Amino acid sequence: APGEEGTANRELWQELVQEERGRRLPAFEPAGHLGALRALRDLGLAKCRERLLTKCVGPEESLPSPQDARREAQVLRAALGKKLVPHMASAITPGEYARLRRVIQLNGFRFNGSLREG
């Protein structure tokens, strides 16, 4: 139905902000996780692996260390616990989640303009 995606996105954003403010997780930037969590929610893990994890992530040495990737994946685990992303997303490894976040960061875009030409 129209508007459902926007509502789901708003709910995801609000939950991320609440998690960040609650300080139950290591410090993180909600905006840095929103795209990856949306991709997992909307595309599913298999399509994320097939379509997104094949994209550019920049220099490998710029990816987070395994320890940092595990820390960042705690945000995904919190989203899984609140059922904001499907259970199948629990099969993504911390390294894959870090790569997915980087793909969104480097290859994603945000459209803020009008859909009308002119």
Coordinates of all heavy atoms in Angstrom, one line a residue, residues 27-64:
A27 N 29.2 3.3 20.5 CA 28.8 4.5 19.7 C 28.8 4.2 18.3 O 29.7 3.5 17.7 CB 29.8 5.6 20.0
F28 N 27.7 4.7 17.6 CA 27.6 4.5 16.2 C 26.7 5.6 15.6 O 26.0 6.3 16.3 CB 26.9 3.1 15.8 CG 25.5 3.0 16.1 CD1 24.5 3.3 15.2 CD2 25.1 2.7 17.4 CE1 23.2 3.1 15.5 CE2 23.7 2.6 17.7 CZ 22.8 2.8 16.7
E29 N 26.8 5.8 14.3 CA 26.1 6.8 13.6 C 24.9 6.1 12.9 O 25.1 5.3 12.0 CB 27.0 7.5 12.5 CG 26.3 8.5 11.7 CD 25.5 9.6 12.4 OE1 26.1 10.2 13.4 OE2 24.3 9.8 12.1
P30 N 23.7 6.4 13.3 CA 22.5 5.7 12.7 C 22.4 5.8 11.2 O 22.1 4.8 10.5 CB 21.3 6.4 13.3 CG 21.8 6.9 14.7 CD 23.3 7.3 14.4
A31 N 22.8 6.9 10.6 CA 22.7 7.1 9.2 C 23.7 6.1 8.4 O 23.4 5.8 7.3 CB 23.1 8.5 8.8
G32 N 24.8 5.7 9.1 CA 25.7 4.8 8.5 C 25.2 3.4 8.4 O 25.9 2.5 7.8
H33 N 24.1 3.1 9.1 CA 23.6 1.7 9.1 C 22.2 1.6 8.3 O 21.8 0.6 7.9 CB 23.4 1.2 10.5 CG 24.7 1.0 11.2 ND1 25.3 -0.2 11.2 CD2 25.5 1.9 11.9 CE1 26.4 -0.1 11.9 NE2 26.5 1.1 12.3
L34 N 21.6 2.8 8.2 CA 20.2 2.8 7.6 C 20.1 2.1 6.2 O 19.3 1.2 6.0 CB 19.7 4.2 7.5 CG 18.2 4.3 7.0 CD1 17.3 3.7 8.0 CD2 17.9 5.8 6.9
G35 N 21.0 2.5 5.3 CA 21.0 1.9 4.0 C 21.2 0.4 3.9 O 20.5 -0.3 3.2
A36 N 22.2 -0.1 4.7 CA 22.5 -1.5 4.7 C 21.3 -2.3 5.3 O 20.9 -3.3 4.8 CB 23.8 -1.8 5.5
L37 N 20.7 -1.8 6.4 CA 19.6 -2.5 7.0 C 18.4 -2.4 6.1 O 17.6 -3.4 6.0 CB 19.2 -1.8 8.4 CG 20.3 -2.0 9.4 CD1 20.0 -1.2 10.7 CD2 20.5 -3.5 9.8
R38 N 18.2 -1.3 5.4 CA 17.1 -1.3 4.4 C 17.3 -2.3 3.3 O 16.4 -3.0 2.9 CB 17.0 0.1 3.8 CG 16.3 1.1 4.7 CD 15.9 2.3 3.9 NE 15.0 2.0 2.8 CZ 14.9 2.7 1.7 NH1 15.5 3.9 1.6 NH2 14.0 2.4 0.8
A39 N 18.5 -2.4 2.8 CA 18.8 -3.4 1.7 C 18.5 -4.8 2.2 O 17.9 -5.6 1.5 CB 20.3 -3.2 1.3
L40 N 19.0 -5.1 3.4 CA 18.7 -6.5 3.9 C 17.2 -6.7 4.1 O 16.7 -7.8 3.8 CB 19.4 -6.7 5.3 CG 20.9 -6.8 5.2 CD1 21.6 -6.7 6.5 CD2 21.3 -8.2 4.5
R41 N 16.5 -5.7 4.6 CA 15.0 -5.8 4.8 C 14.3 -5.9 3.4 O 13.4 -6.8 3.2 CB 14.5 -4.6 5.5 CG 13.0 -4.6 5.8 CD 12.5 -3.3 6.3 NE 12.5 -2.3 5.2 CZ 12.5 -1.0 5.3 NH1 12.5 -0.5 6.5 NH2 12.5 -0.2 4.3
D42 N 14.7 -5.1 2.5 CA 13.9 -5.0 1.2 C 14.3 -6.0 0.2 O 13.5 -6.4 -0.6 CB 14.0 -3.5 0.7 CG 13.4 -2.5 1.6 OD1 12.6 -2.9 2.6 OD2 13.6 -1.3 1.4
L43 N 15.6 -6.3 0.1 CA 16.1 -7.2 -0.9 C 16.3 -8.6 -0.4 O 16.2 -9.5 -1.2 CB 17.5 -6.7 -1.5 CG 17.5 -5.3 -2.2 CD1 18.9 -5.0 -2.6 CD2 16.6 -5.4 -3.4
G44 N 16.6 -8.7 0.9 CA 17.0 -10.0 1.4 C 18.4 -10.3 1.3 O 19.1 -9.6 0.5
L45 N 18.9 -11.2 2.1 CA 20.4 -11.5 2.1 C 20.9 -12.0 0.8 O 21.9 -11.6 0.3 CB 20.7 -12.5 3.2 CG 22.1 -12.9 3.4 CD1 23.0 -11.7 3.6 CD2 22.3 -13.8 4.6
A46 N 20.2 -13.0 0.1 CA 20.6 -13.5 -1.1 C 20.8 -12.5 -2.2 O 21.9 -12.4 -2.9 CB 19.7 -14.6 -1.6
K47 N 19.9 -11.6 -2.3 CA 20.0 -10.5 -3.4 C 21.0 -9.5 -3.0 O 21.7 -9.0 -3.9 CB 18.6 -9.9 -3.6 CG 17.7 -10.8 -4.4 CD 16.5 -10.1 -4.9 CE 15.8 -11.2 -5.8 NZ 14.4 -11.0 -5.9
C48 N 21.2 -9.2 -1.7 CA 22.3 -8.3 -1.3 C 23.6 -8.9 -1.7 O 24.5 -8.2 -2.2 CB 22.2 -8.1 0.2 SG 21.0 -6.9 0.7
R49 N 23.8 -10.2 -1.4 CA 25.0 -10.9 -1.8 C 25.2 -10.9 -3.3 O 26.3 -10.6 -3.8 CB 25.1 -12.3 -1.3 CG 25.3 -12.4 0.2 CD 25.3 -13.8 0.7 NE 25.8 -13.9 2.1 CZ 25.4 -14.9 2.9 NH1 24.6 -15.8 2.6 NH2 25.9 -14.9 4.2
E50 N 24.2 -11.1 -4.0 CA 24.2 -11.2 -5.5 C 24.4 -9.9 -6.2 O 25.2 -9.7 -7.1 CB 23.0 -11.9 -6.0 CG 22.8 -12.0 -7.5 CD 21.4 -12.5 -7.9 OE1 20.9 -13.4 -7.2 OE2 20.9 -12.0 -8.9
R51 N 23.6 -8.9 -5.7 CA 23.6 -7.6 -6.4 C 24.5 -6.5 -5.8 O 24.9 -5.6 -6.5 CB 22.2 -7.1 -6.4 CG 21.2 -7.9 -7.2 CD 19.9 -7.3 -7.2 NE 18.9 -8.2 -7.9 CZ 17.6 -7.9 -8.0 NH1 17.1 -6.8 -7.5 NH2 16.8 -8.7 -8.7
L52 N 24.6 -6.5 -4.5 CA 25.3 -5.4 -3.8 C 26.8 -5.7 -3.4 O 27.7 -4.9 -3.6 CB 24.5 -4.9 -2.6 CG 23.1 -4.4 -3.0 CD1 22.4 -3.9 -1.7 CD2 23.2 -3.3 -4.0
L53 N 26.9 -6.9 -2.8 CA 28.3 -7.2 -2.3 C 29.3 -7.5 -3.5 O 30.5 -7.7 -3.2 CB 28.2 -8.4 -1.4 CG 27.6 -8.1 0.0 CD1 27.5 -9.3 0.8 CD2 28.3 -7.0 0.7
T54 N 28.8 -7.4 -4.7 CA 29.7 -7.5 -5.9 C 30.2 -6.1 -6.3 O 31.1 -6.0 -7.2 CB 29.0 -8.2 -7.0 OG1 27.8 -7.4 -7.3 CG2 28.6 -9.6 -6.7
K55 N 29.7 -5.1 -5.7 CA 30.0 -3.7 -6.1 C 31.3 -3.2 -5.4 O 31.8 -3.8 -4.4 CB 28.9 -2.7 -5.7 CG 27.6 -3.1 -6.3 CD 27.5 -2.9 -7.8 CE 26.1 -3.1 -8.3 NZ 26.1 -3.9 -9.4
C56 N 31.8 -2.1 -5.8 CA 33.1 -1.5 -5.3 C 33.0 -1.2 -3.8 O 32.0 -0.6 -3.4 CB 33.4 -0.2 -6.1 SG 34.8 0.7 -5.5
V57 N 34.0 -1.5 -3.1 CA 34.1 -1.2 -1.7 C 35.3 -0.3 -1.4 O 35.6 0.0 -0.3 CB 34.1 -2.4 -0.8 CG1 32.8 -3.2 -0.8 CG2 35.3 -3.3 -1.0
G58 N 36.0 0.1 -2.5 CA 37.2 0.9 -2.3 C 38.3 0.0 -1.9 O 38.3 -1.2 -2.0
P59 N 39.4 0.6 -1.5 CA 40.6 -0.2 -1.1 C 40.3 -1.1 0.1 O 39.6 -0.7 1.0 CB 41.6 0.9 -0.7 CG 41.1 2.2 -1.2 CD 39.6 2.0 -1.3
E60 N 40.7 -2.4 -0.1 CA 40.4 -3.4 1.0 C 40.9 -2.9 2.3 O 40.3 -3.2 3.4 CB 41.0 -4.7 0.6 CG 40.4 -5.4 -0.5 CD 39.0 -6.0 -0.2 OE1 38.8 -6.4 0.9 OE2 38.1 -5.9 -1.1
E61 N 42.1 -2.2 2.3 CA 42.7 -1.8 3.6 C 41.8 -0.7 4.3 O 42.0 -0.4 5.5 CB 44.1 -1.3 3.4 CG 44.3 -0.2 2.5 CD 44.5 -0.5 1.0 OE1 44.4 -1.7 0.7 OE2 44.8 0.4 0.3
S62 N 40.9 -0.1 3.6 CA 40.0 0.9 4.2 C 38.8 0.2 4.9 O 38.0 0.9 5.6 CB 39.6 1.9 3.2 OG 38.7 1.3 2.3
L63 N 38.6 -1.1 4.7 CA 37.5 -1.7 5.4 C 37.8 -1.9 6.9 O 39.0 -1.9 7.3 CB 37.3 -3.1 4.8 CG 36.6 -3.1 3.4 CD1 36.7 -4.5 2.8 CD2 35.2 -2.6 3.5
P64 N 36.8 -2.0 7.7 CA 37.1 -2.1 9.2 C 37.8 -3.4 9.5 O 37.7 -4.4 8.7 CB 35.7 -2.1 9.8 CG 34.7 -1.9 8.7 CD 35.4 -1.9 7.4

